[in-house]
Amino acid sequence: MIDYNSVLSDVVKTIEPSGIRKFFDLANGMKDVISLGVGEPDFVTPWHIRNEGVYALEKGKTHYTANAGFLELRQEITNYIERKTGVRYNPNGEVLVTVGGSEAIDLAIRALVNPGDEVLIPEPSFVCYKPCTILAGGVPVPIVTKVEDKFKLTAEKLRAAITPKTKLLILPYPNNPTGAIMTKPELEEIAGVLKDTNIMVLTDEIYAELTYGREHASIVSIPHMAERTIYVNGFSKSYAMTGWRLGFAAAPAPLMKQMLKIHQFAIMCSPTTSQYAAIEALRHGDEDIAKMREEYDCRRRMIVEGFRNMGLSCFEPEGAFYVFPDIRSTKMNSNEFCETLLQKEKVAVVPGTAFGESGEGFIRCSYAYSVSSISEALSRIERFVKSL
Amino acid sequence: MIGEKERILKLIEHNVHLTAEEIAVMVGKDAKYVQDVLDECVENQTILGQKTIIDWEKTERELVSAIIELKVTPQRGSGFDRISERIYQYDEISSVYLLSGGFDLAVIVEGKTLKEVALFVAEKLAPMEEVISTATHFILKKYKAEGVILNKKTEDDREVITL
């Protein structure tokens, strides 16, 4: 009989499973739940993009592409990044097509982090940065962001977190779960702190197309930042292509060379069908994004107002498709609030602690749902809150 | 870029039960502004009414629909308007469109049976003085109507929670 515990990687074993696994299992096992807990668009990939994928299959395009991805796609990605940030990358050597933004994040961390290197991670934030850092042998260092600062990373907090071991800063904006964004002046302050250091930056901009009332600002646009930054983006959230598993990274050639090395050994290439669809998305998908963003914006206002009307303080997000209401006034902790809400009213929302300890006292609610679903969920949550 | 009035109209086009207050929150305006826009649109007939889209195939009602293409003689002083106004007076006619191309007008006729629709065309439409010719196409199956996909799977197949 094999003792699996003795054969498994020690590093893997140190990664803790989600602290709210029990809650997830409960929610997934219940019927007729209205869930505001999903982290992907409710829209389907626009037809013209799907059609390109279908057409590629009909034409028998089922073989590997170049490791880095189709040159045609990398050229479109380069054009896109330049249009959005003003930075021109070389499609040959500085752009990589990945399996979702998730793979790009993993590659970036593995390419940069040595054992013992510290990786600064603003929290609350997406769950993958910490485990990817640990798997690379690094030390994740959370930087707690607060609702009083609109969940932004401040120069002051960044400065306080830097040590001689700091290798990498992760910038996850627009942010999951808070919906916070960083403006250009705020990024300039961050750049000012990093200026005389060797600290690299990984900017995860997967929600960059989903900002409301202002254009997204990227740190690579700040002078002298592109040379120390790995830029990650993708197709999942902006074009509703989550299941296609396609993202991309752009970085200076010496960094990209190493990322490509890992990618070609571990993955070979990103899905071919998805790459064909992505070319169509980048060429003709702007209007689709605008329509989805418009719809999200209406729902965003509706859900923020809904929480405020029921007496819960709710930070107004300016990006992504999440709200992060403050439930501390209910005197329940996040997990307790979510479990009890689920059991009493069959509404699933995500405890803020899923995104870091600093998420305690908050819940994440997605507005990637129809107006009628959001309305019904708000009614039930209000009834629950009033019953406490 | 879509204007504010158009944003409001797009919202109520597919969400008829939204109140002016709810719309106001969603577009970032006050409720009075939204109500004024809606009232103005009703008055100038931009908003013509509310309609429920029904898949009659799922009911006991007998319904046959046909698209009739008409070649007509336009009238001096009124062009195609007068003949169109005469045609749409019939209750059997649910839609009338002026077309470019090989035919002038397309009308949608509804009746209980194929025979009823065919007789309507033969006895009411074709004999009209301005009508030169008709071509009747019976609708066998509706896939999408008024922007709504019929028989669409509405179940949300996403996982209940994903981070």
Side-chain angles (χ1 to χ4, degrees), chain B residues 121-137:
Chain B
V121 175
E123 293 172 358
K124 300 278 168 55
L125 281 187
M128 291 175 90
E129 199 180 321
E130 298 91 337
V131 173
I132 301 168
S133 65
T134 67
T136 300
H137 308 279

Side-chain angles (χ1 to χ4, degrees), chain A residues 247-265:
Chain A
F248 53 90
L255 301 179
M256 189 50 70
K257 187 176 173 183
Q258 304 308 320
M259 287 174 64
L260 177 60
K261 195 195 292 180
I262 306 169
H263 172 81
Q264 76 192 42
F265 288 133

